[in-house]
Amino acid sequence: ARNWTTVSQWVPHGVSVVEVAAGCGEFYEAALRGKVSSYVALDVNPAFVKTMNQKGIQAMRTDVLTAPIPVGDTVIMMSAFYHFKEHGDRVLTKLLNSAKRNVILVEPVNNPLDVHRWRDRLRAVLVSMGEGPIYERYLADELLRLCERHATVLHHQLMHDNDYLVVLQGQALSVEGEGSKTPFAATEKGGDGD
């Protein structure tokens, strides 16, 4: 939460935002509500989606690996890119192709977990979204190199608590009157029974 002011400076007033792996929508509530023209939250966790919908946030249950990502001016992913490390190129391409203006990545870096330390084992299990414990994280230079291979890096900085901010030039093609090139039909609303 300490870094949200810095991150939100890269989201201009009046833009449309798609946040991927949005959790319970805390960033939107704290930094974007009233600032952006529209906001769509995507998360694979049905409990998170249900919570956001109950708060009046437009949220869709979506697996970013298999479902399309709606187009927005700004696409954000915070503290979740490491979940897709083995698919980093593919996921980053999807994010970039959904952003008309920019992609904002905020990722915990330089903090690898050690399977032999019980606290690290617990942290690795707690962040799992069903794929099992995740021990591997990005190093700052590794994440920057990945981003530079795919897009123009507009800004990058190491923030508090080893959160690394990378802002990339979006690559979505904008056709006037076409609207979102990726419909929400491929996603599902969260709720009871999910």
Side-chain angles (χ1 to χ4, degrees), residues 100-193:
K100 290 189 261 182
R101 181 182 173 90
N102 60 5
V103 171
I104 298 171
L105 286 178
V106 178
E107 191 65 15
V109 295
N110 306 333
N111 60 352
L113 301 181
D114 183 345
V115 69
H116 302 292
R117 292 178 21 203
W118 71 268
R119 284 187 177 141
D120 285 355
R121 287 195 309 272
L122 178 61
R123 285 176 57 202
V125 169
L126 290 175
V127 299
S128 172
M129 297 184 309
E131 72 274 54
I134 301 173
Y135 291 97
E136 203 165 324
R137 303 291 199 271
Y138 281 97
L139 299 174
D141 62 334
E142 175 188 21
L143 181 60
L144 183 59
R145 281 193 315 269
L146 172 67
C147 291
E148 288 173 337
R149 281 199 316 265
H150 288 275
T152 300
V153 174
L154 303 173
H155 178 78
H156 63 97
Q157 78 180 76
L158 188 61
M159 300 184 296
H160 184 75
D161 290 334
N162 278 339
D163 277 349
Y164 194 50
L165 168 65
V166 184
V167 182
L168 302 134
Q169 180 68 50
Q171 298 174 355
L173 298 177
S174 177
V175 178
E176 198 168 312
E178 183 180 292
S180 174
K181 74 174 183 184
T182 308
F184 286 114
T187 61
E188 59 185 75
K189 281 199 160 212
D192 295 331

Side-chain angles (χ1 to χ4, degrees), residues 4 7-8 10-12 15-22 27-28 31-32 36 38-42 64 69-70 72-81 95-96 98-99 102-106 165-166:
W4 287 354
V7 174
S8 67
W10 288 95
V11 182
V15 299
S16 61
V17 172
V18 177
E19 186 175 0
V20 179
F27 178 64
Y28 170 73
L32 300 180
V36 299
S38 66
Y39 175 84
V40 176
L42 308 177
V64 70
I69 299 171
D73 295 318
T74 297
V75 175
I76 300 170
M77 182 181 272
M78 297 179 65
S79 302
F81 196 62
L95 297 173
L96 289 163
S98 296
N102 60 5
V103 171
I104 298 171
L105 286 178
V106 178
L165 168 65
V166 184

